[in-house]
Amino acid sequence: MKGRKLLMIPGPIEFEPDVMQAMAMATTSHVAPDFIEVFGNSLEHMREVWKSPKGQPFIVAGTGTLAMDMAIANLIEKDDNVLVISTGYFGKRFQDILTHYGANTTILEAPVGEVVPLEVIEKELKTKTYKALTITHVDTSTGVLVDPEPIAKLAKKYHVLSILDGVCSVAAETIHQDEWELDIVLTASQKAVGVPPGLALLMASEKAIQVWENRKTPVCNYYANWKNWLPIMKAYEARKPSYFGTPAVNLIVALETSLKIICKEGVQKRIERHQVLANAFRKGLASLHLEILPRSTEIAANSLTAVYYPKEIDGVALRSKIARSNVIIAGGLLSEIKTSYFRVGHMGSVSPNDLIAVLSALERALLALNYPFETGKSLNAFQTELLKFEE
Ligand code: PMP
């Protein structure tokens, strides 16, 4: 289709046609039996994607930030000590939210492109009694992937709640919430879950619910209070009508469709697809001598890649030339280096063809800007890597 744009930013992403079709259905009542079934199914499918048969899912109209706000508002009380493990912009957002609710925060910030070493986290946990720690699984500002499993283990060892921001990771990176004993795993609809923006999705462990039930002070937030939402989630799952705030009916119908697509593909298979494509894409970038933000490929995310502009290339010119090829990528987000890098999302419905389109648009732009390279090299590197995984 002439003029059709390919959206390759790290969320929102390109959505499956079936998901978009589901969005467009005639809106039903939020207490209609068929919608109750859709809502109940969505809650159940979340457990499968999160690998959390014991968890309590929440689906609430809002964005990823609401899911972060909901976790903190319900679990944290004034003067609680909370440890923030940060690999970029969204780690700091957790600190902001925590400060708003009166928590005492300590932030461990990794240098750009790196992760915080486990020894550093453990050393800090020994210094005082922490109530919770926060982890950003994939910080979308840097494309750095953190391994949550050993951090969740440390949290258990020191009796600290673990809160995982999975906005850029759920359904794209490996997560076993119950097995890893993560207390909260939260995300938003518009990323690898594959639904247009507008839903905050959160899974709370049994322990998290108990901690909330035993709070000493009331939750200082009205909309996000689990007191309002827990009975609603339980009712829909029991296939009973219920109301607190009108659910985003069409988005939830789309969510059910997308979660079914994810479960049909198989969660593990889907994660492997993301990994193969991400690695092949980075081989393509490396063949053009482009450098990525993460210090090593082991800590580079499946869901997006953050790439430095070559020194001799003007970033604004490069991005605008790529846009002229109808490929939409994102600029930098981390304030200190915002103008020195760009980001490409590769999650959800992403296919080899999409990444071929990105690499060829990138090569065309580099060619126009007289960057020295061998034309077609990144496509070759990408295809050669993919071939290794073809059955
Ligand atoms: N955390 C991460 C890792 C994110 O990538 C984002 C959004 N880019 C958020 C939180 C906030 O989500 P939202 O924009 O949906 O509020």
Side-chain angles (χ1 to χ4, degrees):
M1 271 182 279
K2 194 167 174 286
R4 184 171 166 206
K5 291 184 167 45
L6 180 66
L7 187 59
M8 297 299 289
I9 64 172
I13 60 164
E14 290 284 336
F15 302 114
E16 295 282 357
D18 283 357
V19 171
M20 297 314 287
Q21 210 164 355
M23 280 285 292
M25 65 137 215
T27 306
T28 61
S29 158
H30 56 288
V31 289
D34 52 349
F35 178 69
I36 293 174
E37 187 61 28
V38 164
F39 205 136
N41 287 342
S42 302
L43 292 163
E44 285 164 6
H45 285 313
M46 273 179 70
R47 289 213 180 82
E48 191 175 337
V49 176
W50 269 244
K51 300 264 181 269
S52 181
K54 292 198 252 156
Q56 173 58 56
F58 290 85
I59 302 172
V60 177
T63 72
T65 306
L66 173 71
M68 296 168 85
D69 194 19
M70 182 179 258
I72 303 304
N74 285 282
L75 294 177
I76 304 304
E77 300 184 53
K78 193 172 175 306
D79 297 328
D80 281 342
N81 295 322
V82 183
L83 181 61
V84 175
I85 301 161
S86 177
T87 42
Y89 181 95
F90 290 102
K92 288 191 197 136
R93 177 163 297 185
F94 256 139
Q95 189 180 34
D96 253 11
I97 298 171
L98 284 157
T99 305
H100 185 82
Y101 287 101
N104 297 319
T105 60
T106 303
I107 186 162
L108 295 173
E109 277 189 81
V112 174
E114 293 182 30
V115 294
V116 180
L118 276 181
E119 312 81 74
V120 174
I121 298 171
E122 178 151 24
K123 195 169 159 217
E124 183 55 43
L125 287 172
K126 282 181 182 161
T127 64
K128 54 172 113 82
T129 307
Y130 278 101
K131 166 89 165 276
L133 60 77
T134 70
I135 313 162
T136 312
H137 198 177
V138 170
D139 202 300
T140 320
S141 66
T142 56
V144 168
L145 169 73
V146 171
D147 182 359
E149 189 182 2
I151 303 178
K153 265 204 194 109
L154 276 183
K156 272 283 126 24
K157 181 171 167 192
Y158 291 92
H159 310 288
V160 173
L161 290 169
S162 51
I163 301 173
L164 183 73
D165 172 349
V167 173
C168 206
S169 72
V170 171
E173 309 282 351
T174 306
I175 298 174
H176 294 278
Q177 179 165 0
D178 284 7
E179 192 188 315
W180 296 354
E181 297 187 82
L182 285 159
D183 291 299
I184 299 285
V185 177
L186 61 89
T187 190
S189 52
Q190 75 273 16
K191 306 235 179 193
V193 167
V195 176
L199 291 177
L201 306 170
L202 180 147
M203 187 77 72
S205 70
E206 287 170 317
K207 164 98 180 294
I209 298 289
Q210 279 163 15
V211 167
W212 165 71
E213 283 167 344
N214 293 318
R215 285 177 66 102
K216 293 189 198 76
T217 58
V219 171
C220 291
N221 184 309
Y222 183 71
Y223 183 70
N225 194 336
W226 284 343
K227 190 170 82 176
N228 296 321
W229 291 111
L230 188 58
I232 310 300
M233 300 304 134
K234 286 190 189 272
Y236 275 111
E237 207 166 357
R239 308 301 193 263
K240 289 191 188 126
S242 188
Y243 168 74
F244 166 63
T246 309
V249 173
N250 290 56
L251 280 169
I252 294 172
V253 176
L255 177 67
E256 187 207 25
T257 306
S258 194
L259 292 175
K260 276 187 176 159
I261 292 172
I262 294 170
C263 294
K264 189 163 172 224
E265 181 178 7
V267 180
Q268 195 49 40
K269 272 230 157 94
R270 183 181 176 89
I271 288 158
E272 282 160 18
R273 170 170 60 83
H274 279 79
Q275 196 165 34
V276 166
L277 286 173
N279 287 337
F281 181 59
R282 290 194 275 264
K283 291 267 178 198
L285 295 172
S287 75
L288 301 175
H289 306 293
L290 297 186
E291 210 187 305
I292 62 170
L293 255 76
R295 287 291 164 89
S296 79
T297 45
E298 282 83 60
I299 55 163
N302 289 342
S303 47
L304 85 147
T305 302
V307 194
Y308 286 111
Y309 298 115
K311 291 210 170 47
E312 59 274 53
I313 295 291
D314 173 45
V316 177
L318 184 80
R319 287 228 322 283
S320 91
K321 288 207 186 302
I322 292 174
R324 257 190 254 159
S325 297
N326 283 333
V327 171
I328 311 301
I329 59 166
L333 182 60
L334 207 57
S335 58
E336 52 277 34
I337 52 165
K338 207 174 159 74
T339 55
S340 62
Y341 74 106
F342 63 97
R343 295 170 303 145
V344 176
H346 31 75
M347 58 188 127
S349 65
V350 64
S351 73
N353 295 355
D354 297 333
L355 289 173
I356 290 272
V358 176
L359 288 172
S360 46
L362 175 62
E363 282 205 5
R364 249 187 335 269
L366 289 170
L367 205 56
L369 295 169
N370 300 316
Y371 177 72
F373 74 105
E374 194 185 313
T375 318
K377 198 150 189 206
S378 72
L379 304 177
N380 193 342
F382 179 77
Q383 320 258 40
T384 308
E385 183 65 17
L386 273 197
L387 262 187
K388 292 185 196 161
F389 297 92
E390 269 183 16
E391 285 139 35

